[in-house]
C-alpha cells in the first residue's frame, strides 16, 4: 500500500484520489504476487509438461506461454495498472502545483546554490526523450510550464504507488541495502567521494550520505526536473547531497577522483554502446582501491528459464527496449572490457536492510545467498542483486 512519503513535498490528494492510488497499488501487489504465482504454477503443471524439448531460455518460455488466456489477461492487467499508476499520481500533483512549487522555493531559498548545478545546454539522449520510460507520460524529464519539477514529483509519487510498500518508507531500500552491505562487509573502507549515476530524485543517493556521513556525495542525471525536485527533497530531509545535470557517458569529473561509483536500476535503460561508455567512465574516475557498484536485476544466464522470462516481461510490454538486451549481456566481460581486473570483480545479493533489524541483517549478509525466485522481484522476501569491481 502507498504510505505518506517522508518529506513535505508529498501530495496526499483528497479521499477520492487516495482511494484510487490505494486501489492501483493493491492491484499491482495482487498481479506481481498472487497472479504471478498462479501463472507460474500453470506453466509448470500444464504447459511445460506438454513439450518434448524443455525450454532452456526465457525466450522459449515466452513463446510457449504468450498465447495462453492467463498470460494475456495478466499482461493486459499489468500494462493497464502501469498506466493507472501514473494517472493516479499525476492528477493530484497537477491540482497541487502551487503548493509544491512554494514548498520547493521555501526549502531551497537558504540552500547553497552550488549544491544544484543544472546545464541548460544538456542534451537529453533519445533513450530518454523518445520513450515514455515505464509508460510514464512525458518520461522522467517532463516539465509542465512553471512546474519544472514535475518529472521528479511524478517519479516519486508514482514509485510509491508502483512499489506497494516494498521499497521502504522513503523509497530508499535499495540505496540503504547496498550502502549498508558495503559498510558492514568492508569496515576498513572509508570513501570520501561517492557518485550516483542516473540518480533521478536521489532517493537511493541519500542513503550513501547517511551511511558515510564524512563523504561528499553527488547524484547526476540528464533530467533537470528530477534534479530540481530531488535537490529540494534531500534538503527537506536534511541530507547534504550535490546534484549535477550530466550524462553518465561523459562525466566531467577528473581521473581517479571517486571512491565509489554507484547506480541503481539505471544500466538497463541504456543502449549497448552507452552502457559500455558508462562502465568505462566509472573505471576512469575511480581512484585505485575505489569501488564500482551497480544494483540491477540479475543476468538471464544466472536464472532459470522461467524466471528469466518473467523478469523480461518489461522489455516486451512496458516500454523498456534495452531491458532484455542488457540482461542478456555477459556481466563479467562488460567489466573486463572496461579495464577492471578479473580478481577484483564482485557480485552480491542482499536482503532488504530497512525491513530487518541490524543483527539479523549482519547475519544475512554473512551467510551464503544465491539467486532465487524473489531476487529483484517486488515480492515477499525480496533480495537485491549488485555487481561491480574494485579498481
Amino acid at each position: 500500500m502507498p504510505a505518506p512519503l517522508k518529506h513535505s513535498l508529498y501530495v496526499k490528494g483528497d479521499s477520492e484520489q487516495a482511494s484510487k492510488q490505494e486501489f492501483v497499488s493493491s492491484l499491482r501487489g495482487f498481479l506481481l504476487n498472487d497472479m504471478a504465482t498462479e501463472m507460474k504454477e500453470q506453466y509448470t503443471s500444464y504447459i511445460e509438461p506438454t513439450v518434448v524439448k524443455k525450454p532452456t531460455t526465457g525466450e522459449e518460455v515466452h513463446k510457449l506461454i504468450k498465447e495462453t488466456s492467463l498470460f494475456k489477461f495478466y499482461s493486459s492487467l499489468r500494462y493497464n495498472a502501469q498506466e493507472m499508476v501514473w494517472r493516479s499520481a499525476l492528477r493530484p500533483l497537477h491540482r497541487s502545483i502551487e503548493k509544491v512549487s512554494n514548498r520547493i522555493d521555501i526549502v531551497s531559498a537558504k540552500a547553497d546554490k552550488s549544491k544544484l548545478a543544472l546545464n541548460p545546454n544538456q542534451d537529453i539522449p533519445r533513450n530518454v526523450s523518445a520513450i515514455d520510460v515505464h509508460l510514464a507520460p512525458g518520461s522522467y524529464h517532463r516539465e509542465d510550464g512553471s512546474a519544472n519539477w514535475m518529472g521528479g514529483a511524478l517519479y516519486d509519487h508514482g514509485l510509491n504507488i508502483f512499489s506497494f510498500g516494498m521499497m521502504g518508507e522513503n523509497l530508499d531500500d535499495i540505496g540503504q541495502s547496498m550502502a549498508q552491505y558495503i559498510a558492514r562487509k568492508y569496515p576498513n573502507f572509508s570513501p570520501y567521494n561517492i557518485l550516483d549515476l542516473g540518480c533521478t530524485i536521489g532517493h537511493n543517493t541519500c542513503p550513501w550520505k547517511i551511511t558515510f556521513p564524512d563523504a561528499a556525495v553527488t547524484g547526476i542525471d540528464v533530467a533537470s526536473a528530477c534534479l530540481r525536485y530531488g535537490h529540494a527533497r534531500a534538503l527537506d530531509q536534511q541530507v547534504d547531497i550535490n546534484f549535477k545535470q550530466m550524462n553518465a557517458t561523459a562525466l566531467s569529473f577528473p581521473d581517479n577522483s571517486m571512491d565509489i561509483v554507484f547506480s541503481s536500476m539505471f544500466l538497463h535503460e541504456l543502449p549497448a554502446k552507452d552502457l559500455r561508455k558508462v562502465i568505462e567512465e566509472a573505471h576512469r574516475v575511480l581512484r585505485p582501491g575505489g569501488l564500482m557498484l551497480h544494483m540491477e536485476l540479475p543476468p538471464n544466464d544466472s536464472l532459470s528459464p522461467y524466471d528469466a522470462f518473467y523478469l523480461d516481461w518489461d522489455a516486451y510490454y512496458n516500454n523498456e527496449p534495452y531491458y532484455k538486451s542488457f540482461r542478456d549481456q555477459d556481466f563479467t566481460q562488460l567489466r573486463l572490457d572496461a579495464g577492471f581486473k578479473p580478481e577484483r570483480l564482485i557480485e552480491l545479493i542482499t536482503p532488504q536492510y530497512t525491513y530487518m533489524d541490524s543483527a539479523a541483517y549482519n547475519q544475512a549478509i554473512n551467510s551464503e545467498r544465491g539467486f532465487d525466485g524473489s531476487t529483484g522481484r517486488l515480492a515477499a522476501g525480496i533480495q537485491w542483486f549488485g555487481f561491480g569491481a574494485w579498481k
Side-chain angles (χ1 to χ4, degrees), residues 38-324:
E38 175 64 25
M39 188 167 66
K40 185 173 184 178
E41 289 176 355
Q42 184 186 81
Y43 173 81
T44 303
S45 300
Y46 301 107
I47 299 175
E48 188 180 54
T50 65
V51 298
V52 175
K53 184 180 179 182
K54 304 303 179 188
T56 58
T57 66
E59 294 100 312
E60 293 174 353
V61 174
H62 186 208
K63 185 176 181 180
L64 282 176
I65 201 173
K66 69 179 182 180
E67 297 304 325
T68 65
S69 297
L70 180 58
F71 178 73
K72 290 179 179 180
F73 186 43
Y74 167 86
S75 294
S76 178
L77 282 176
R78 186 169 169 185
Y79 182 95
N80 279 278
Q82 184 76 18
E83 290 192 317
M84 291 162 67
V85 163
W86 304 117
R87 288 199 298 269
S88 65
L90 191 57
R91 286 169 182 165
L93 283 170
H94 271 162
R95 295 176 185 178
S96 304
I97 284 176
E98 184 176 356
K99 173 187 173 182
V100 178
S101 292
N102 288 341
R103 187 59 197 165
I104 289 175
D105 289 343
I106 289 170
V107 298
S108 303
K110 297 181 180 179
D112 181 346
K113 303 305 183 206
S114 69
K115 294 292 181 179
L116 175 62
L118 301 180
N119 178 7
N121 299 315
Q122 178 68 59
D123 290 330
I124 304 299
R126 282 189 56 79
N127 59 297
V128 177
S129 66
I131 302 168
D132 283 351
V133 179
H134 271 300
L135 304 179
S139 200
Y140 301 146
H141 66 297
R142 67 177 288 169
E143 299 183 12
D144 294 11
S146 63
N148 58 7
W149 41 262
M150 185 59 74
L154 180 60
Y155 180 89
D156 196 19
H157 290 71
L159 181 60
N160 193 38
I161 300 164
F162 171 93
S163 58
F164 52 91
M166 298 302 295
M167 290 283 196
E169 289 186 347
N170 202 30
L171 304 179
D172 63 353
D173 185 78
I174 290 173
Q176 291 270 23
S177 299
M178 291 288 158
Q180 287 293 331
Y181 184 98
I182 296 304
R184 294 166 187 242
K185 290 288 268 188
Y186 306 98
N188 296 323
F189 180 49
S190 299
Y192 291 103
N193 285 289
I194 300 174
L195 176 62
D196 184 7
L197 309 175
C199 69
T200 58
I201 58 170
H203 55 309
N204 288 317
T205 317
C206 291
W208 290 93
K209 181 66 177 180
I210 294 168
T211 305
F212 298 103
D214 294 331
V217 180
T218 301
I220 70 161
D221 204 282
V222 296
S224 58
C226 283
L227 296 173
R228 289 188 188 97
Y229 182 87
H231 172 245
R233 189 184 194 271
L235 288 172
D236 191 73
Q237 297 183 326
Q238 300 181 4
V239 185
D240 182 16
I241 303 293
N242 302 297
F243 290 92
K244 296 181 183 295
Q245 190 174 10
M246 190 184 307
N247 194 321
T249 62
L251 300 175
S252 66
F253 304 104
D255 295 357
N256 307 316
S257 58
M258 295 291 165
D259 297 294
I260 295 177
V261 177
F262 170 73
S263 78
S264 56
M265 298 297 282
F266 169 61
L267 297 185
H268 73 259
E269 308 287 3
L270 304 172
K273 60 181 178 61
D274 287 352
L275 169 63
R276 288 173 173 78
K277 288 180 182 177
V278 167
I279 298 178
E280 289 168 1
E281 279 290 89
H283 182 270
R284 178 184 67 79
V285 302
L286 275 176
R287 292 190 180 105
L291 173 67
M292 177 185 74
L293 180 63
H294 302 287
M295 179 273 158
E296 274 290 350
L297 296 181
N300 277 325
D301 62 9
S302 67
L303 301 175
S304 71
Y306 186 89
D307 287 333
F309 142 76
Y310 181 81
L311 291 183
D312 278 337
W313 183 92
D314 292 83
Y316 295 106
Y317 306 108
N318 201 25
N319 265 15
E320 289 284 351
Y322 310 109
Y323 197 94
K324 184 181 184 306

Side-chain angles (χ1 to χ4, degrees), residues 320-338:
E320 289 284 351
Y322 310 109
Y323 197 94
K324 184 181 184 306
S325 59
F326 165 71
R327 295 182 55 248
D328 283 340
Q329 297 270 347
D330 182 333
F331 284 19
T332 296
Q333 198 61 48
L334 280 174
R335 290 170 282 178
L336 298 180
D337 289 346

